[in-house]
Amino acid sequence: MQTASCERGRAGEQLCAAAAAMEAAVLSGLVLALALALPSVALENGLARTPPMGWMSWERFRCNVDCQADPRNCISEQLFFEMADRLAEDGWRELGYEYINLDDCWAAKQRDAAGQLVPDPKRFPRGIKALTDYVHARGLKLGIYGDLGIFTCGGYPGTMLENVKQDAQTFAAWGVDMLKLDGCYSSAEEQAKGYPEMARALNATGRPIVYSCSWPAYQGGLPPQLIIGNFGLSYEQSRSQMALWTVMAAPLLMSTDLRTISPEAKEILQNRLMIQINQDPLGIQGRRIVKEKYNIEVFVRPLAQAASALVFFSRRTDMPFRYTTSLAKLHFPEDAVYEVQDVYVGKIIGDLKTADNFSVVINPSGVVMWYLHPKTLPVQPWHVVRQQAPGGGYRPALL
């Protein structure tokens, strides 16, 4: 049985050989760069058929290993026990947030006498298998971090080519459910050989392990973790990150302190309609279809049952902007009527014909996001119409 999978599997075209690129930074507002996904081949094995959802340590807790000075926030088994409790008890698991992912700095500084990776004995005294058992007992899954290179990005033991098979077997023996394999301290040639080799090694273990390979990050970028509820984002920017990650079919991996998360951030991350759109079974990645000179952009994602998600995103920093357009201008099928629902408000706005003009008011660095469900269906489903447009792709200009 083949078991390893790229991180998003079928969701928005697979990640591992060449993938969607999306990078985010906060610099006087939320700046997002999105690039076209390139097709690749992935296993059809039932894993990651929709974007994985869960929690990851890196963006919030980084490589904090000083458990004496900061025991509550250091990378230790206690931190992951507590985050697993929060996912299980605070409504996250039921919404699909199921992965608890260790990032860098969990390991001891040296492999053991047998050459095996081992966790830091002071910070993970019970070992990774005990942590995995704890997570599994709460109906969750455990992800772990490795690096294809002599060291990890944080300076811990990496996985060199001769270690690939052994490390895959170690992760499987621990009961790991996802592997993020970074690429610090490795050459392009080593990555070209090592990333596929790890996929084969994971498959050979017989354990279903989602394979989140960072190869695309070294060829143009990967969507980073959600930092909603963390430091640095305004309320509007937080709404924008969630909407853009959703329309791009990106993994929803939170990196925030779930013990202290604000009600506002929790409301954004637990938006049921947003999650429904992100987890749409078609797994088609959205695209930017409009880029206005006055810093307004429009993204669309085709969904199951001929539905669509629309995101109106403002890069402006001055004041709210009234944007007027029509579904016809956005190249929706003619003679269709859609029921429009505001994803954040949850309110049904009403029915909208393709030819009707409408306006949305978008806050600076903010979004308006709509879910459109057809009341009268076009001749062909929306995603088929767009895929068969002249030129073999979307009619509007893309990135």
Side-chain angles (χ1 to χ4, degrees), residues 59-79:
E59 289 295 339
R60 172 59 181 85
F61 297 98
R62 295 284 171 161
C63 195
N64 179 0
V65 296
D66 191 347
C67 291
Q68 183 173 353
D70 194 9
R72 181 172 170 81
N73 298 304
C74 67
I75 301 302
S76 68
E77 64 181 23
Q78 188 60 38
L79 176 68

Side-chain angles (χ1 to χ4, degrees), residues 5-11 15 47-56 95-101 141 177-178 210-212 226 245 249-254 275 278-279:
S5 172
C6 293
E7 183 174 22
R8 289 216 310 272
R10 201 175 60 185
L15 283 176
L47 290 177
R49 298 187 68 184
T50 59
M53 297 174 59
W55 181 89
M56 184 172 278
L95 292 170
Y97 291 97
E98 62 177 351
Y99 285 96
I100 289 281
N101 292 332
K141 299 178 180 179
D177 304 293
M178 178 188 288
V210 174
Y211 182 29
S212 172
L226 292 166
W245 264 233
L252 299 182
L253 295 175
M254 307 176 288
I275 292 170
N278 178 268
Q279 298 290 296

Side-chain angles (χ1 to χ4, degrees), residues 11-27:
E13 303 301 331
Q14 289 75 23
L15 283 176
C16 276
M22 182 163 40
E23 296 175 313
V26 181
L27 182 60

Side-chain angles (χ1 to χ4, degrees), residues 312-324:
F312 305 92
F313 173 49
S314 174
R315 292 182 181 268
R316 301 174 67 94
T317 59
D318 51 358
M319 61 184 295
F321 188 87
R322 181 177 294 274
Y323 179 65
T324 300

